[in-house]
Amino acid sequence: GESVGLHLPTLSVQEGDNSIINCAYSNSASDYFIWYKQESGKGPQFIIDIRSNMDKRQGQRVTVLLNKTVKHLSLQIAATQPGDSAVYFCAEISTGTNTGNQFYFGTGTSLTVIP
Amino acid sequence: NAGVTQTPKFRVLKTGQSMTLLCAQDMNHEYMYWYRQDPGMGLRLIHYSVGEGTTAKGEVPDGYNVSRLKKQNFLLGLESAAPSQTSVYFCASSTGQGGTGELFFGEGSRLTVL
């Protein structure tokens, strides 16, 4: 199967600083990537996505960067807040016909925001 | 709009017992999925369905069965529970082909097998 990995399992940042969470993927044919946030005791929630024909996408306080040359994905969170403390997953998706969109998840990075 | 709802949220079983986890979605999504989440392992796909009446195996299907008799429901069954099936189970749904591909997750069901 595919492998999706994160460089750092844990990350601690000061409130107000910017956070960068990294992700490596292995399938150069993947056409869609999503970042999810999972708070303790809850299911993952969508943060932002990016298609393989883009290299950058911005949302509210979040930016996703895609470097297809080195198969690297990153999530940048601006002005990190205590509510951003959670586990962040990247997902690599190969959209298929009649096979379901095949999602491959990394193990996650635990972000802790220090007040 | 409830989204994806899983029941029960918690369950303790003895080895060899059977149980069914129910997932219901009210978004008219075609695709539904069952994942398990274990520490350090990330989310692993058990079974999925691309439409009513269809099911398919994922990455770790052994010991589980599923059914999709109605479009809005996706059931995950354990016929003879084993301690290795202690995990948190997540159901998810998506629009399917032509959609954004985003997965909508339930809140999870924590299963402990003694």
Side-chain angles (χ1 to χ4, degrees):
Chain A
E2 309 297 332
S3 66
V4 182
L6 298 173
H7 292 312
L8 294 173
T10 62
L11 178 66
S12 296
V13 298
Q14 290 290 140
E15 181 178 358
D17 287 351
N18 296 334
S19 302
I20 299 176
I21 301 171
N22 297 305
C23 178
Y25 64 94
S26 62
N27 184 5
S28 57
S30 291
D31 51 4
Y32 186 48
F33 303 87
I34 301 179
W35 279 101
Y36 285 90
K37 173 185 180 182
Q38 186 176 22
E39 297 176 332
S40 181
K42 296 186 177 181
Q45 289 185 301
F46 173 92
I47 303 173
I48 192 167
D49 60 357
I50 188 167
R51 294 207 175 269
S52 58
N53 60 356
M54 304 169 66
D55 53 20
K56 181 179 180 179
R57 189 158 190 226
Q58 288 185 296
Q60 187 176 15
R61 284 201 306 118
V62 294
T63 300
V64 55
L65 300 177
L66 176 62
N67 185 332
K68 293 181 288 294
T69 302
V70 295
K71 297 178 193 166
H72 183 268
L73 193 69
S74 68
L75 176 71
Q76 300 177 0
I77 304 173
T80 314
Q81 302 169 0
D84 294 328
S85 292
V87 175
Y88 290 82
F89 296 92
C90 65
E92 170 188 10
I93 297 98
S94 297
T95 53
T97 55
N98 298 320
T99 59
N101 294 335
Q102 299 296 310
F103 287 73
Y104 299 94
F105 291 89
T107 54
T109 291
S110 177
L111 174 66
T112 300
V113 180
I114 303 167
Chain B
N1 189 338
V4 179
T5 304
Q6 294 179 227
T7 53
K9 290 182 169 44
F10 301 93
R11 185 71 187 271
V12 178
L13 290 177
K14 294 181 180 178
T15 298
Q17 287 185 318
S18 63
M19 75 157 297
T20 300
L21 295 176
L22 170 64
C23 177
Q25 53 95 2
D26 60 4
M27 296 172 282
N28 200 36
H29 284 169
E30 288 294 331
Y31 293 0
M32 296 187 75
Y33 309 77
W34 274 108
Y35 288 89
R36 60 177 289 173
Q37 185 176 41
D38 302 293
M41 299 290 289
L43 288 158
R44 292 184 291 170
L45 182 63
I46 304 171
H47 286 279
Y48 65 97
S49 168
V50 299
E52 181 179 319
T54 72
T55 63
K57 294 180 180 180
E59 182 185 0
V60 289
D62 294 342
Y64 305 94
N65 57 75
V66 289
S67 63
R68 184 100 181 268
L69 299 179
K70 295 183 179 180
K71 185 177 182 179
Q72 64 268 32
N73 295 336
F74 195 29
L75 278 63
L76 178 71
L78 286 73
E79 290 186 351
S80 180
S84 61
Q85 294 178 304
T86 293
S87 187
V88 181
Y89 292 86
F90 287 97
C91 177
S93 69
S94 69
T95 55
Q97 288 302 112
T100 64
E102 176 189 348
L103 284 178
F104 294 81
F105 285 88
E107 294 286 277
S109 297
R110 182 174 294 275
L111 174 65
T112 301
V113 183
L114 303 175

